[in-house]
Amino acid sequence: MLVNAAYLDQLNPRQRQAVEHGVIAGAATSPAPLLVIAGAGSGKTNTLAHRVAHLIVNGADPRRILLLTFSRRAAAEMARRVERIAGQVMGQSTGVMAEALTWAGTFHGIGARLLRDYAPVIGLDPTFSIHDREDSADLMNLVRHELGFSTTKNRFPAKGTCLAIYSRCVNAEMAIDEVLRVSYPWCAGWAAELRQLFAAYVEAKQRQNVLDYDDLLLYWAQMAAEPSLAAELGGRFDHVLVDEYQDTNRLQSSILLALKPSGQGLTVGGDDAQSVYSFRAATVRNILDFPGQFSPPAEIVTLDRNYRSSQPILAAANAVIELASERFTKNLWTDRTSAERPQLVAVRDETDQARYVVEQVLANRETGMSLKQQAVLFRTSHHSGPLEIELTRRNIPFVKFGGLKFLDAAHVKDLLALLRFVQNPRDRVAGFRLMQLLPGVGPTSAQRVLDRMHDAADPIGALMEAPAPPRAGDEWLSFIDTIAQLRAGSAGWPAEIERTRTWYEPHLERIHEDAATRKADLIQLEQIAASYPSRERFLTELTLDPPDATSDQAGVPLRDEDYLILSTIHSAKGQEWKSVYILNVVDGCIPSDLGTGTTAEVEEERRLLYVAMTRAKDHLHLIVPQRFFTHQQSATGDRHVYAARTRFIPSALLKLFERVSWPVAAAEPTATTATRDVRVDIGAKMRGMWR
């Protein structure tokens, strides 16, 4: 069937080449592997959405398309775009086809679904719980304590460090000795003990029927390593498309290559210049090495037309990234001309930096640019401290991104612990947290009850029959009654979460002084829950892709209010604003003084600056404080250290920037008669204070 391809006319030639790759009109085959190198602001998401729509329009079964993104919201947005694009050709039938695009989500979310599907085949109980990072660290700590590592003569690595080492071993597919040598040299003496700890941690997870984030990928990869399962898994999907491929780790790459070893039907999109997540074990090597992993090599389509930034901003950003040691050749261009170059602003210190930003933001607002159209970006969350003080002092509303997430808030974790415990009563971390909410129940009492449940064939029955902790009183009976009701499922979903909240609220008011603000989060959680078909899906997807917490954002305004955006560079990735201010563009901040140990680390810091610069559409300000306050007093008594402009903007690139000093130094007054005649009677002012 020939279709009207007018919906492709809005694409530029490179975008259209990527969309049409391997698709014969009226027949969507499994084409050769494709790599789309998409520069910042080049329409990558739109291109991938058009490719999915083009496949469906030409006969591909949407149920056999796997679309992997890095957030559930990105997957939902992609599905909406697909529906809109395909609707130009398919009319009313589009909705049905788009709804059938059910395999769209994050690596971890898709992994969780596949593991539940294949649980009986791989020896998993399909009711497994999923631990977030904090829960995983708590379980690691319990095991660490049981092994006696919390009482060693020399200080053993803390729970968070242990989990980070474990996670790096799994995601980077590196041996523990190598991980310790490269990333945690101060822990190298504990290699044997850490290996023992990790083995016990894995056994504890399996006993409790829980998986952590890393398991969702690790189990999937282990499944895919079995030839028969790999063929079955890969055979479920004719087309696999991956967004932001530069942010994948080795484990995710292994999964993709196991699903599609020949590369047939595989499309990945991304930008090596925006690979900035090595701290999550992501590696830029995945995208750099992708073409050569197949024979013949994958086709490469480069999207280098930028629709976001003005030409002077792009010229400066291109010059910064051109100095990278290894990259796909790509120089972004645009037809958005402007006479305004990016500003390189020298200020005295962080206080003046804050004042400069506020002054510029307010000046822009007076010309009609809303606060929401402006953003302040920084390398590390604490860099915005002086600015936050100045914004608060000047009564300018702002929202800060890059801080705590919804599930990191204690009250939300408390509520979810009850739902998780009901779903999987062998989840020791959830049970331990939950029982200690009750007055009179401490770690020893909780441990005793959990041990009793662990040894029973029916853990909930054992809980019901367990003697109440001596000092728990009526609260224990209320707890047991709530567990019984939720386990019975008589209320149904999502009414169960209202019952959970009703039980928890008295404890919330007793534990937290700001209970009213936290209650708003719980109401929000209840509203979120209503959009999920079951408790299991809710717990899984909320853990894997949590929203931001209202109580954890700074100075949150009402939805219809205007507010300035403050964000770490990492959290700003994928966003754009008319005016962007980058704080602390100095060595020690960009690059971070913790990110200059190896060439690879320095190169990632360079890419971070590139990402920050390419968020700007019209105005870009890179601010260079001359000195920073420090808590360490020097021998001279000065508490300031002096900073140099970032090494990523060497002298040869200065012609691409407008250099500004702020505040503008006033001209030295001359001793004219007029100035000599000016007098200020301070004495009169002092006397007037008391009259």
Side-chain angles (χ1 to χ4, degrees), residues 664-670:
V664 178
E668 192 70 30
T670 57

Side-chain angles (χ1 to χ4, degrees), residues 17-23 29-37 44 47-52 55 65-69 78 107 238-245 248 256 260 262-270 287 290 294 298-299 301:
Q17 181 186 352
V19 168
E20 295 183 314
H21 169 76
V23 183
T29 58
S30 291
L34 171 66
L35 170 61
V36 181
I37 295 295
K44 170 176 56 66
T47 301
L48 286 178
H50 271 82
R51 179 160 177 77
V52 175
L55 289 168
I65 294 176
L66 174 60
L67 176 59
L68 292 163
T69 63
M78 189 80 77
F107 270 94
D238 297 325
H239 303 277
V240 179
L241 299 95
V242 187
D243 196 9
E244 306 287 6
Y245 192 62
T248 55
L256 285 178
K260 296 294 177 186
S262 69
Q264 292 295 116
L266 181 58
T267 297
V268 303
I287 195 167
F290 181 83
F294 308 99
E299 180 172 339
V301 176

Side-chain angles (χ1 to χ4, degrees), residues 664-679:
V664 178
E668 192 70 30
T670 57
T672 62
T673 304
T675 57
R676 280 197 300 267
D677 288 342
V678 175
R679 293 289 184 269

Side-chain angles (χ1 to χ4, degrees), residues 586-643:
V586 297
D587 264 20
C589 295
I590 304 176
S592 165
D593 52 10
L594 299 177
T596 55
T598 65
T599 300
E601 288 174 337
V602 172
E603 289 303 311
E604 178 154 331
E605 295 289 316
R606 186 194 311 278
R607 294 192 293 268
L608 265 173
L609 179 58
Y610 173 78
V611 167
M613 292 174 69
T614 52
R615 299 310 95 199
K617 297 167 72 172
D618 301 320
H619 312 286
L620 176 61
H621 306 250
L622 296 88
I623 311 172
V624 183
Q626 305 299 302
R627 60 180 188 165
F628 291 83
F629 182 81
T630 175
H631 295 291
Q632 303 295 325
Q633 186 159 347
S634 69
T636 62
D638 191 5
R639 287 182 178 270
H640 289 85
V641 294
Y642 289 82

Side-chain angles (χ1 to χ4, degrees), residues 12 60 69 126 143 192 194 202 218 223 283 288 308 367 396 400 424 449 529 544 548 558 585 605 610 648 686 688:
N12 68 42
T69 63
V143 176
L194 286 168
V202 169
L218 188 58
M223 282 169 56
T283 171
L288 291 174
R308 175 187 299 152
T367 63
I396 299 173
K400 182 177 178 181
N424 174 19
V449 175
L544 295 179
D548 292 328
L558 299 173
V585 186
E605 295 289 316
Y610 173 78
F648 302 139
M686 298 296 285

Side-chain angles (χ1 to χ4, degrees), residues 239-258:
H239 303 277
V240 179
L241 299 95
V242 187
D243 196 9
E244 306 287 6
Y245 192 62
Q246 79 280 350
D247 293 334
T248 55
N249 58 43
R250 291 192 184 279
L251 192 55
Q252 290 164 323
S253 175
S254 297
I255 290 169
L256 285 178
L257 294 178

